[in-house]
């Protein structure tokens, strides 16, 4: 039988998050953490937009501030 150990805790006393691995073959996309145009950090609650570049067939993630400027430069929403 295995040993039981307490979960590590953070300095503020809350328990550390538990990471549950995904079954083999499943992929979970990770959100971008920076705007592709201005480099601003996109926190978990930040409004973000996915656009397709007019120069390449690639999808980028931009912050709310850059969204309107990018649309004026020919970027279009990603489906």
């Amino acid at each position: 039988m295995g040993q039981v150990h307490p979960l590590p805790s953070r300095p503020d006393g809350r328990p550390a998050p538990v990471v549950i691995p995904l079954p083999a073959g499943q992929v979970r996309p990770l959100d971008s953490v920076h705007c592709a145009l201005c480099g601003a950090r996109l926190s978990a609650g930040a409004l973000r937009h996915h656009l397709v570049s007019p120069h390449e067939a690639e999808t980028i993630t931009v912050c709310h501030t850059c969204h309107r400027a990018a649309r004026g430069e020919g970027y279009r929403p990603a489906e």
Side-chain angles (χ1 to χ4, degrees), residues 17-63:
V18 177
V19 178
I20 301 171
L22 294 173
Q26 287 188 351
V27 177
R28 181 176 57 112
L30 298 175
D31 289 333
S32 298
V33 294
H34 295 283
C35 174
L37 298 177
C38 72
R41 181 166 167 74
L42 299 173
S43 63
L47 186 57
R48 60 190 78 191
H49 302 273
H50 302 287
L51 302 173
V52 177
S53 170
H55 308 290
E56 301 172 15
E58 105 179 44
T59 302
I60 62 170
T61 302
V62 298
C63 66

